[in-house]
Amino acid sequence: MLLSVNLLKNLRVLAVSGVAILSSTAQAQTTVITADKMVDVLNGKTVDFPAVFVGADGRITNIADARTVKWGSDVTHIDMSGKTILPGLIDMHVHLDSPADIGGYRGLEFTDSFWGMSAVGAAQAMLKAGFTTVRNVGAENRNDIGLKQAIENGYAIGPRIVPAGYSIGATGGHCDSTFLPPSLEGASKEEGIADSEDELRYEVRRQRKYGAEVIKVCATGGVFSRNTEPGQQQLSERELRVIADEAHQWGLRVAAHAHGGDGIKAAIKAGIDTIEHASLVDDEGIKLAAARVRPVWFSMDIFNTDYTQAEGAKNGVLEDNLRKDREVGQIQRDNFRKAHKAGVKMVFASDAGVMPHGLVGGQFKVMVEYGMTPIEAIQAATRNAAQALGREKDVGAIAIGRFADIIAVDGDPLANVRELESVDAVVKGGKIVR
Protein backbone atom coordinates (compact mmCIF):
# COMPACT_ATOMS: atom_id res chain seq x y z
CA MET A 1 0.00 0.00 0.00
CA LEU A 2 2.84 2.39 0.94
CA LEU A 3 4.56 1.61 -2.36
CA SER A 4 1.37 2.45 -4.28
CA VAL A 5 0.96 5.79 -2.50
CA ASN A 6 4.58 6.76 -3.13
CA LEU A 7 4.23 5.75 -6.78
CA LEU A 8 1.17 7.96 -7.18
CA LYS A 9 3.00 10.89 -5.57
CA ASN A 10 5.93 10.43 -7.90
CA LEU A 11 3.66 10.25 -10.94
CA ARG A 12 2.00 13.52 -9.92
CA VAL A 13 5.40 15.22 -9.73
CA LEU A 14 6.42 13.79 -13.08
CA ALA A 15 3.15 14.84 -14.68
CA VAL A 16 3.69 18.43 -13.52
CA SER A 17 7.19 18.43 -15.03
CA GLY A 18 5.76 17.19 -18.35
CA VAL A 19 8.97 15.32 -19.10
CA ALA A 20 9.77 12.06 -17.38
CA ILE A 21 6.25 10.64 -17.28
CA LEU A 22 6.62 9.78 -20.95
CA SER A 23 10.01 8.23 -20.35
CA SER A 24 8.50 6.04 -17.65
CA THR A 25 6.33 4.37 -20.29
CA ALA A 26 9.05 4.25 -22.94
CA GLN A 27 8.82 0.48 -23.09
CA ALA A 28 5.44 0.87 -24.79
CA GLN A 29 6.86 3.23 -27.41
CA THR A 30 8.73 1.92 -30.46
CA THR A 31 9.07 5.13 -32.50
CA VAL A 32 8.99 8.88 -32.01
CA ILE A 33 8.50 11.33 -34.87
CA THR A 34 9.60 14.93 -34.36
CA ALA A 35 9.29 18.00 -36.56
CA ASP A 36 9.30 21.78 -36.39
CA LYS A 37 5.52 22.05 -36.81
CA MET A 38 2.40 19.88 -36.94
CA VAL A 39 -0.95 20.69 -38.53
CA ASP A 40 -3.69 19.85 -36.02
CA VAL A 41 -6.60 19.28 -38.41
CA LEU A 42 -9.10 18.62 -35.61
CA ASN A 43 -8.65 22.13 -34.22
CA GLY A 44 -7.52 23.89 -37.38
CA LYS A 45 -4.20 25.14 -36.05
CA THR A 46 -0.46 24.56 -36.14
CA VAL A 47 1.47 23.09 -33.19
CA ASP A 48 5.18 23.83 -32.69
CA PHE A 49 7.81 21.13 -32.09
CA PRO A 50 5.61 18.02 -31.86
CA ALA A 51 6.90 14.67 -30.67
CA VAL A 52 4.56 11.91 -31.85
CA PHE A 53 5.05 8.57 -30.09
CA VAL A 54 4.04 5.37 -31.87
CA GLY A 55 3.45 1.94 -30.39
CA ALA A 56 4.30 -1.45 -31.82
CA ASP A 57 0.85 -1.66 -33.42
CA GLY A 58 1.52 1.43 -35.54
CA ARG A 59 -0.89 3.62 -33.59
CA ILE A 60 -0.12 6.90 -31.85
CA THR A 61 0.30 6.52 -28.11
CA ASN A 62 1.19 10.09 -27.12
CA ILE A 63 1.92 13.58 -28.45
CA ALA A 64 4.24 15.86 -26.53
CA ASP A 65 6.58 18.85 -26.84
CA ALA A 66 9.82 17.69 -28.43
CA ARG A 67 11.78 20.40 -26.59
CA THR A 68 11.05 18.91 -23.18
CA VAL A 69 10.13 15.26 -23.55
CA LYS A 70 12.74 12.51 -23.32
CA TRP A 71 12.81 8.96 -24.66
CA GLY A 72 15.09 5.98 -24.33
CA SER A 73 17.75 4.70 -26.71
CA ASP A 74 15.51 1.78 -27.61
CA VAL A 75 13.01 4.14 -29.28
CA THR A 76 13.50 4.73 -33.03
CA HIS A 77 13.67 8.46 -33.79
CA ILE A 78 12.32 9.74 -37.11
CA ASP A 79 13.69 13.28 -37.29
CA MET A 80 11.70 15.68 -39.49
CA SER A 81 13.61 18.79 -38.43
CA GLY A 82 12.80 21.80 -40.57
CA LYS A 83 9.54 20.26 -41.80
CA THR A 84 5.81 20.48 -41.13
CA ILE A 85 3.99 17.22 -40.54
CA LEU A 86 0.33 16.53 -41.37
CA PRO A 87 -1.95 13.50 -41.20
CA GLY A 88 -1.68 11.15 -44.14
CA LEU A 89 -4.06 12.33 -46.85
CA ILE A 90 -7.27 10.53 -47.85
CA ASP A 91 -8.65 10.44 -51.41
CA MET A 92 -12.31 9.45 -51.39
CA HIS A 93 -12.68 8.68 -55.10
CA VAL A 94 -10.03 6.69 -56.94
CA HIS A 95 -9.83 3.92 -59.53
CA LEU A 96 -6.51 2.20 -58.94
CA ASP A 97 -6.95 -0.25 -61.82
CA SER A 98 -7.54 2.49 -64.39
CA PRO A 99 -4.36 3.89 -66.02
CA ALA A 100 -5.07 7.47 -67.07
CA ASP A 101 -3.18 7.16 -70.34
CA ILE A 102 -5.39 4.35 -71.69
CA GLY A 103 -8.75 5.67 -72.88
CA GLY A 104 -11.62 4.72 -75.15
CA TYR A 105 -11.14 1.50 -77.11
CA ARG A 106 -7.41 1.32 -76.32
CA GLY A 107 -8.30 -0.84 -73.34
CA LEU A 108 -9.03 -3.71 -75.74
CA GLU A 109 -5.30 -4.01 -76.40
CA PHE A 110 -4.73 -5.57 -72.97
CA THR A 111 -5.52 -8.90 -71.37
CA ASP A 112 -7.97 -9.14 -68.46
CA SER A 113 -5.30 -9.52 -65.77
CA PHE A 114 -3.44 -6.39 -66.93
CA TRP A 115 -5.71 -4.07 -65.00
CA GLY A 116 -5.05 -5.66 -61.64
CA MET A 117 -1.32 -5.60 -62.32
CA SER A 118 -1.40 -1.91 -63.25
CA ALA A 119 -3.16 -1.13 -59.97
CA VAL A 120 0.00 -2.05 -58.03
CA GLY A 121 1.92 0.84 -59.57
CA ALA A 122 -1.00 3.22 -59.11
CA ALA A 123 -1.19 2.37 -55.40
CA GLN A 124 2.52 3.07 -54.98
CA ALA A 125 2.17 6.39 -56.79
CA MET A 126 -0.64 7.51 -54.50
CA LEU A 127 1.25 6.51 -51.38
CA LYS A 128 4.35 8.40 -52.51
CA ALA A 129 2.13 11.43 -53.16
CA GLY A 130 1.09 11.38 -49.49
CA PHE A 131 -2.24 9.58 -49.74
CA THR A 132 -2.08 6.91 -47.06
CA THR A 133 -5.77 5.98 -47.37
CA VAL A 134 -7.91 5.78 -50.52
CA ARG A 135 -11.49 4.76 -51.21
CA ASN A 136 -11.62 2.78 -54.45
CA VAL A 137 -15.11 3.26 -55.86
CA GLY A 138 -15.52 0.45 -58.35
CA ALA A 139 -13.16 -2.11 -59.92
CA GLU A 140 -13.50 -4.94 -62.39
CA ASN A 141 -12.67 -8.43 -61.10
CA ARG A 142 -12.53 -7.00 -57.56
CA ASN A 143 -9.01 -5.77 -58.29
CA ASP A 144 -9.27 -3.30 -55.41
CA ILE A 145 -10.09 -6.05 -52.91
CA GLY A 146 -7.23 -8.24 -54.10
CA LEU A 147 -4.79 -5.34 -53.96
CA LYS A 148 -5.93 -4.42 -50.45
CA GLN A 149 -5.24 -8.00 -49.36
CA ALA A 150 -1.82 -7.98 -51.03
CA ILE A 151 -0.83 -4.72 -49.31
CA GLU A 152 -2.04 -5.83 -45.89
CA ASN A 153 -0.13 -9.11 -46.16
CA GLY A 154 3.12 -7.55 -47.35
CA TYR A 155 3.05 -8.57 -51.01
CA ALA A 156 2.64 -5.03 -52.34
CA ILE A 157 3.22 -1.45 -51.21
CA GLY A 158 0.38 1.04 -51.12
CA PRO A 159 -2.13 2.98 -49.04
CA ARG A 160 -4.93 1.64 -46.89
CA ILE A 161 -7.73 0.77 -49.32
CA VAL A 162 -11.46 0.98 -48.68
CA PRO A 163 -12.74 -1.14 -51.61
CA ALA A 164 -16.14 -1.25 -53.30
CA GLY A 165 -15.67 -4.26 -55.56
CA TYR A 166 -18.03 -3.93 -58.52
CA SER A 167 -20.07 -0.76 -58.99
CA ILE A 168 -23.83 -1.23 -59.04
CA GLY A 169 -26.02 0.27 -61.76
CA ALA A 170 -28.79 -0.17 -64.31
CA THR A 171 -28.57 -1.96 -67.65
CA GLY A 172 -27.22 0.53 -70.20
CA GLY A 173 -26.26 3.01 -67.51
CA HIS A 174 -22.93 4.50 -66.53
CA CYS A 175 -21.82 1.46 -64.49
CA ASP A 176 -22.66 -0.92 -67.35
CA SER A 177 -20.25 -1.66 -70.20
CA THR A 178 -21.63 0.26 -73.18
CA PHE A 179 -18.68 0.27 -75.60
CA LEU A 180 -19.23 -3.13 -77.24
CA PRO A 181 -21.90 -4.53 -79.59
CA PRO A 182 -24.55 -6.96 -78.30
CA SER A 183 -22.88 -9.88 -80.08
CA LEU A 184 -20.04 -9.65 -77.55
CA GLU A 185 -22.24 -9.58 -74.47
CA GLY A 186 -22.25 -12.50 -72.06
CA ALA A 187 -25.19 -14.81 -71.63
CA SER A 188 -26.18 -13.05 -68.40
CA LYS A 189 -25.88 -9.57 -66.96
CA GLU A 190 -22.48 -8.30 -65.98
CA GLU A 191 -21.86 -8.38 -62.27
CA GLY A 192 -23.18 -5.29 -60.52
CA ILE A 193 -25.94 -4.65 -63.07
CA ALA A 194 -29.45 -4.75 -61.63
CA ASP A 195 -32.93 -3.76 -62.84
CA SER A 196 -35.25 -4.35 -59.91
CA GLU A 197 -35.27 -3.66 -56.21
CA ASP A 198 -34.60 -7.32 -55.44
CA GLU A 199 -31.67 -7.40 -57.84
CA LEU A 200 -30.23 -4.21 -56.36
CA ARG A 201 -30.53 -5.61 -52.85
CA TYR A 202 -28.81 -8.80 -53.97
CA GLU A 203 -25.92 -6.88 -55.53
CA VAL A 204 -25.31 -4.99 -52.27
CA ARG A 205 -25.16 -8.28 -50.40
CA ARG A 206 -22.95 -9.90 -53.03
CA GLN A 207 -20.37 -7.10 -53.04
CA ARG A 208 -20.19 -7.18 -49.23
CA LYS A 209 -19.90 -10.97 -49.27
CA TYR A 210 -16.69 -10.82 -51.29
CA GLY A 211 -14.96 -7.98 -49.46
CA ALA A 212 -16.54 -4.63 -50.33
CA GLU A 213 -16.31 -2.10 -47.50
CA VAL A 214 -18.31 0.58 -49.29
CA ILE A 215 -21.09 0.30 -51.87
CA LYS A 216 -20.77 2.27 -55.11
CA VAL A 217 -23.89 2.96 -57.18
CA CYS A 218 -24.39 4.93 -60.39
CA ALA A 219 -27.44 7.16 -60.02
CA THR A 220 -26.95 9.14 -63.25
CA GLY A 221 -25.17 8.97 -66.57
CA GLY A 222 -21.50 9.80 -66.82
CA VAL A 223 -18.79 11.62 -68.71
CA PHE A 224 -16.51 8.73 -69.68
CA SER A 225 -19.15 6.15 -70.57
CA ARG A 226 -20.79 5.72 -73.97
CA ASN A 227 -24.47 6.38 -74.72
CA THR A 228 -25.14 8.14 -71.41
CA GLU A 229 -25.38 11.83 -70.57
CA PRO A 230 -24.25 13.15 -67.18
CA GLY A 231 -27.62 14.70 -66.41
CA GLN A 232 -29.66 11.53 -66.98
CA GLN A 233 -31.15 9.96 -63.87
CA GLN A 234 -30.76 6.17 -64.15
CA LEU A 235 -32.10 4.88 -60.83
CA SER A 236 -35.20 6.10 -59.04
CA GLU A 237 -35.24 7.50 -55.52
CA ARG A 238 -36.98 4.34 -54.37
CA GLU A 239 -34.30 2.12 -55.94
CA LEU A 240 -31.54 4.22 -54.38
CA ARG A 241 -33.26 3.94 -51.00
CA VAL A 242 -33.26 0.15 -51.28
CA ILE A 243 -29.50 0.25 -51.85
CA ALA A 244 -28.88 2.69 -48.98
CA ASP A 245 -31.10 0.82 -46.53
CA GLU A 246 -29.58 -2.55 -47.38
CA ALA A 247 -26.02 -1.26 -47.12
CA HIS A 248 -26.67 0.53 -43.83
CA GLN A 249 -28.23 -2.61 -42.41
CA TRP A 250 -24.90 -4.37 -43.06
CA GLY A 251 -22.89 -1.50 -41.60
CA LEU A 252 -21.68 -0.19 -44.97
CA ARG A 253 -21.83 3.32 -46.42
CA VAL A 254 -22.85 4.20 -49.96
CA ALA A 255 -21.22 6.40 -52.59
CA ALA A 256 -23.46 7.51 -55.47
CA HIS A 257 -22.02 8.60 -58.79
CA ALA A 258 -24.38 11.49 -59.56
CA HIS A 259 -23.73 14.32 -61.99
CA GLY A 260 -27.31 15.37 -62.77
CA GLY A 261 -29.44 17.54 -60.53
CA ASP A 262 -32.42 15.18 -60.29
CA GLY A 263 -30.23 12.16 -59.56
CA ILE A 264 -28.35 14.10 -56.87
CA LYS A 265 -31.58 15.08 -55.12
CA ALA A 266 -32.92 11.52 -55.32
CA ALA A 267 -29.70 10.18 -53.80
CA ILE A 268 -29.77 12.72 -50.97
CA LYS A 269 -33.41 11.93 -50.17
CA ALA A 270 -32.69 8.18 -50.34
CA GLY A 271 -30.05 8.42 -47.61
CA ILE A 272 -26.90 7.98 -49.72
CA ASP A 273 -23.76 8.95 -47.75
CA THR A 274 -21.54 10.62 -50.36
CA ILE A 275 -22.45 12.24 -53.66
CA GLU A 276 -19.69 11.69 -56.20
CA HIS A 277 -19.00 14.47 -58.73
CA ALA A 278 -22.18 16.49 -57.97
CA SER A 279 -21.39 18.45 -61.14
CA LEU A 280 -24.85 19.74 -62.10
CA VAL A 281 -26.30 20.16 -58.62
CA ASP A 282 -28.96 22.87 -58.41
CA ASP A 283 -29.85 25.21 -55.57
CA GLU A 284 -32.47 22.80 -54.22
CA GLY A 285 -29.95 19.98 -54.14
CA ILE A 286 -27.47 22.14 -52.25
CA LYS A 287 -30.13 23.07 -49.69
CA LEU A 288 -31.12 19.41 -49.25
CA ALA A 289 -27.51 18.41 -48.67
CA ALA A 290 -26.79 21.20 -46.20
CA ALA A 291 -29.96 20.48 -44.20
CA ARG A 292 -29.99 16.67 -44.07
CA VAL A 293 -29.79 15.31 -40.51
CA ARG A 294 -27.81 12.19 -41.44
CA PRO A 295 -24.64 13.75 -42.87
CA VAL A 296 -24.20 13.70 -46.62
CA TRP A 297 -20.87 14.64 -48.17
CA PHE A 298 -20.10 16.10 -51.60
CA SER A 299 -17.13 14.37 -53.21
CA MET A 300 -16.25 16.67 -56.14
CA ASP A 301 -13.31 16.01 -58.47
CA ILE A 302 -12.62 19.55 -59.69
CA PHE A 303 -9.04 19.15 -60.93
CA ASN A 304 -8.92 16.31 -63.44
CA THR A 305 -10.51 18.27 -66.32
CA ASP A 306 -7.21 20.08 -66.77
CA TYR A 307 -5.54 16.76 -67.52
CA THR A 308 -8.28 15.17 -69.60
CA GLN A 309 -8.66 18.16 -71.90
CA ALA A 310 -4.91 18.43 -72.41
CA GLU A 311 -4.08 14.74 -72.78
CA GLY A 312 -7.34 12.87 -73.35
CA ALA A 313 -7.37 12.71 -77.15
CA LYS A 314 -3.75 11.50 -77.21
CA ASN A 315 -4.67 8.78 -74.70
CA GLY A 316 -7.51 7.51 -76.88
CA VAL A 317 -10.46 9.15 -75.10
CA LEU A 318 -13.33 9.54 -77.56
CA GLU A 319 -14.39 13.03 -78.66
CA ASP A 320 -17.90 12.47 -77.33
CA ASN A 321 -16.45 11.88 -73.86
CA LEU A 322 -14.22 14.93 -74.13
CA ARG A 323 -17.26 16.95 -75.21
CA LYS A 324 -19.14 15.98 -72.05
CA ASP A 325 -16.04 16.72 -69.99
CA ARG A 326 -15.87 20.24 -71.45
CA GLU A 327 -19.55 20.83 -70.82
CA VAL A 328 -19.54 19.95 -67.13
CA GLY A 329 -16.02 20.95 -66.04
CA GLN A 330 -16.49 24.64 -65.27
CA ILE A 331 -20.06 24.15 -64.03
CA GLN A 332 -18.79 21.62 -61.52
CA ARG A 333 -16.15 24.04 -60.25
CA ASP A 334 -18.68 26.85 -59.88
CA ASN A 335 -21.04 24.51 -58.02
CA PHE A 336 -18.19 23.44 -55.74
CA ARG A 337 -17.90 27.08 -54.69
CA LYS A 338 -21.67 27.40 -54.17
CA ALA A 339 -21.94 24.18 -52.17
CA HIS A 340 -19.01 25.07 -49.93
CA LYS A 341 -20.39 28.57 -49.32
CA ALA A 342 -23.76 27.07 -48.40
CA GLY A 343 -22.18 24.84 -45.76
CA VAL A 344 -22.39 21.48 -47.52
CA LYS A 345 -19.96 18.96 -46.02
CA MET A 346 -17.09 18.30 -48.44
CA VAL A 347 -14.40 15.65 -48.85
CA PHE A 348 -11.35 15.42 -51.11
CA ALA A 349 -11.96 13.34 -54.24
CA SER A 350 -9.81 13.24 -57.38
CA ASP A 351 -11.24 10.48 -59.62
CA ALA A 352 -7.63 9.32 -60.01
CA GLY A 353 -7.50 7.00 -62.98
CA VAL A 354 -9.11 9.68 -65.11
CA MET A 355 -5.89 11.57 -64.31
CA PRO A 356 -2.53 10.08 -63.19
CA HIS A 357 -2.60 8.84 -59.62
CA GLY A 358 0.60 10.56 -58.61
CA LEU A 359 -0.65 14.03 -59.56
CA VAL A 360 -3.78 14.26 -57.44
CA GLY A 361 -2.19 16.62 -54.92
CA GLY A 362 -2.68 19.34 -57.50
CA GLN A 363 -6.37 19.48 -56.61
CA PHE A 364 -5.71 21.32 -53.34
CA LYS A 365 -4.80 24.45 -55.29
CA VAL A 366 -8.08 24.31 -57.25
CA MET A 367 -10.11 23.77 -54.08
CA VAL A 368 -8.60 26.95 -52.65
CA GLU A 369 -9.17 28.83 -55.91
CA TYR A 370 -12.86 27.93 -55.67
CA GLY A 371 -13.55 29.07 -52.16
CA MET A 372 -11.83 26.96 -49.51
CA THR A 373 -9.10 28.15 -47.19
CA PRO A 374 -5.97 25.99 -47.15
CA ILE A 375 -6.92 24.44 -43.80
CA GLU A 376 -10.42 23.63 -45.11
CA ALA A 377 -8.96 21.90 -48.16
CA ILE A 378 -6.59 19.92 -45.93
CA GLN A 379 -9.43 19.01 -43.55
CA ALA A 380 -11.45 17.76 -46.53
CA ALA A 381 -8.66 15.24 -47.18
CA THR A 382 -8.14 14.29 -43.52
CA ARG A 383 -10.70 14.98 -40.77
CA ASN A 384 -13.74 15.18 -43.07
CA ALA A 385 -12.82 12.14 -45.12
CA ALA A 386 -12.31 10.05 -41.99
CA GLN A 387 -15.74 11.10 -40.75
CA ALA A 388 -17.36 10.27 -44.09
CA LEU A 389 -15.71 6.85 -44.00
CA GLY A 390 -16.76 6.28 -40.40
CA ARG A 391 -13.11 5.68 -39.48
CA GLU A 392 -12.35 8.56 -37.12
CA LYS A 393 -10.69 6.13 -34.71
CA ASP A 394 -8.16 5.02 -37.32
CA VAL A 395 -7.18 7.77 -39.76
CA GLY A 396 -7.64 11.44 -40.60
CA ALA A 397 -5.67 13.15 -37.82
CA ILE A 398 -2.45 13.00 -35.86
CA ALA A 399 -4.17 12.00 -32.63
CA ILE A 400 -3.76 9.44 -29.87
CA GLY A 401 -5.19 6.07 -30.85
CA ARG A 402 -5.10 6.64 -34.61
CA PHE A 403 -2.62 5.08 -37.00
CA ALA A 404 0.64 7.01 -37.32
CA ASP A 405 0.00 7.86 -40.96
CA ILE A 406 1.95 11.08 -41.37
CA ILE A 407 3.37 13.15 -44.22
CA ALA A 408 5.94 15.95 -44.18
CA VAL A 409 6.53 19.02 -46.34
CA ASP A 410 9.24 21.66 -46.27
CA GLY A 411 7.06 24.76 -46.16
CA ASP A 412 3.85 25.87 -44.49
CA PRO A 413 0.83 24.30 -46.22
CA LEU A 414 -1.52 26.69 -44.42
CA ALA A 415 0.22 29.58 -46.17
CA ASN A 416 0.78 27.78 -49.48
CA VAL A 417 -1.37 24.69 -50.04
CA ARG A 418 0.71 23.85 -53.13
CA GLU A 419 3.27 22.38 -50.72
CA LEU A 420 1.06 19.27 -50.91
CA GLU A 421 1.86 18.82 -54.59
CA SER A 422 5.31 17.57 -53.63
CA VAL A 423 5.39 15.64 -50.36
CA ASP A 424 8.86 15.17 -48.86
CA ALA A 425 8.28 12.19 -46.59
CA VAL A 426 5.54 9.63 -45.95
CA VAL A 427 5.07 7.51 -42.83
CA LYS A 428 2.46 4.75 -42.70
CA GLY A 429 1.75 3.02 -39.42
CA GLY A 430 4.86 4.58 -37.89
CA LYS A 431 7.23 3.33 -40.59
CA ILE A 432 8.85 5.42 -43.34
CA VAL A 433 7.63 4.43 -46.79
CA ARG A 434 9.18 7.37 -48.60
Side-chain angles (χ1 to χ4, degrees):
M1 180 65 180
L2 180 60
L3 177 62
S4 298
V5 170
N6 288 335
L7 178 59
L8 288 172
K9 288 180 179 179
N10 289 336
L11 287 175
R12 291 192 189 100
V13 172
L14 294 173
V16 171
S17 70
V19 178
I21 189 166
L22 283 174
S23 298
S24 70
T25 59
Q27 293 87 344
Q29 323 289 344
T30 62
T31 303
V32 61
I33 303 165
T34 61
D36 280 13
K37 295 182 181 296
M38 178 185 83
V39 177
D40 176 0
V41 297
L42 298 180
N43 296 299
K45 65 180 183 179
T46 300
V47 175
D48 292 333
F49 301 108
V52 181
F53 287 85
V54 185
D57 61 354
R59 292 182 182 267
I60 297 169
T61 58
N62 223 321
I63 302 172
D65 189 324
R67 293 168 295 186
T68 58
V69 71
K70 299 182 186 299
W71 54 87
S73 59
D74 58 334
V75 175
T76 301
H77 181 202
I78 299 176
D79 187 357
M80 302 282 192
S81 296
K83 300 186 185 299
T84 299
I85 58 174
L86 305 87
L89 304 172
I90 304 170
D91 192 331
M92 293 287 283
H93 190 123
V94 306
H95 299 282
L96 293 172
D97 62 345
S98 177
D101 58 352
I102 301 175
Y105 287 98
R106 282 202 54 218
L108 299 179
E109 300 173 19
F110 302 90
T111 193
D112 296 340
S113 59
F114 164 80
W115 307 100
M117 299 299 102
S118 71
V120 176
Q124 291 180 355
M126 294 216 68
L127 185 61
K128 289 179 180 178
F131 289 84
T132 54
T133 299
V134 300
R135 187 179 65 165
N136 199 91
V137 282
E140 294 295 312
N141 299 318
R142 298 188 176 84
N143 290 324
D144 54 349
I145 296 170
L147 181 55
K148 172 188 171 68
Q149 293 170 343
I151 291 170
E152 290 181 347
N153 287 279
Y155 294 99
I157 297 171
R160 305 181 194 279
I161 298 175
V162 180
Y166 283 88
S167 298
I168 298 173
T171 295
H174 179 69
C175 286
D176 195 5
S177 177
T178 54
F179 281 88
L180 299 176
S183 59
L184 295 180
E185 283 189 348
S188 59
K189 292 179 182 178
E190 294 186 23
E191 185 156 5
I193 304 308
D195 296 301
S196 70
E197 293 179 17
D198 285 344
E199 289 182 356
L200 291 166
R201 188 176 291 108
Y202 168 77
E203 285 298 336
V204 171
R205 294 175 180 178
R206 182 169 174 80
Q207 300 319 311
R208 190 210 65 85
K209 175 181 178 180
Y210 291 112
E213 297 176 14
V214 63
I215 298 300
K216 164 72 176 300
V217 59
C218 289
T220 75
V223 170
F224 292 102
S225 52
R226 183 174 175 272
N227 194 30
T228 73
E229 290 296 320
Q232 293 172 340
Q233 185 172 343
Q234 296 179 346
L235 289 173
S236 68
E237 179 185 330
R238 181 170 174 172
E239 289 172 321
L240 291 168
R241 183 173 290 109
V242 166
I243 293 169
D245 288 349
E246 187 64 33
H248 293 160
Q249 175 179 283
W250 289 95
L252 301 180
R253 301 193 179 193
V254 184
H257 163 105
H259 284 285
D262 289 341
I264 292 168
K265 286 181 284 191
I268 294 170
K269 293 176 182 177
I272 300 292
D273 300 289
T274 64
I275 308 300
E276 310 304 302
H277 311 299
S279 304
L280 306 177
V281 65
D282 57 24
D283 291 344
E284 182 184 358
I286 289 174
K287 289 179 181 177
L288 283 172
R292 204 179 79 175
V293 175
R294 180 187 175 99
V296 60
W297 305 80
F298 276 12
S299 175
M300 301 178 74
D301 51 321
I302 60 171
F303 177 48
N304 58 50
T305 294
D306 292 346
Y307 175 84
T308 52
Q309 289 302 310
E311 304 292 335
K314 180 180 70 176
N315 295 338
V317 178
L318 304 181
E319 171 53 31
D320 188 50
N321 300 122
L322 293 174
R323 182 264 308 170
K324 290 187 282 186
D325 188 41
R326 287 192 297 271
E327 290 175 355
V328 305
Q330 187 58 48
I331 296 173
Q332 185 191 39
R333 290 178 174 184
D334 293 338
N335 282 333
F336 177 93
R337 186 194 299 277
K338 288 175 64 176
H340 170 255
K341 186 176 180 179
V344 174
K345 295 178 182 296
M346 313 282 277
V347 294
F348 183 102
S350 70
D351 207 0
V354 170
M355 60 175 289
H357 296 82
L359 300 182
V360 298
Q363 179 163 294
F364 287 105
K365 171 179 66 74
V366 184
M367 295 168 78
V368 171
E369 287 177 0
Y370 283 85
M372 284 188 170
T373 63
I375 185 60
E376 287 175 329
I378 292 168
Q379 287 172 329
T382 53
R383 181 197 67 182
N384 295 10
Q387 291 174 359
L389 287 173
R391 302 196 179 191
E392 303 99 313
K393 294 182 180 180
D394 295 328
V395 296
I398 301 175
I400 293 173
R402 304 200 196 196
F403 287 114
D405 294 350
I406 294 171
I407 64 172
V409 295
D410 283 331
D412 180 2
L414 300 190
N416 178 14
V417 79
R418 297 196 69 177
E419 289 286 340
L420 298 177
E421 294 177 23
S422 180
V423 172
D424 298 296
V426 181
V427 173
K428 180 186 172 190
K431 300 187 182 302
I432 296 177
V433 294
R434 177 180 178 182

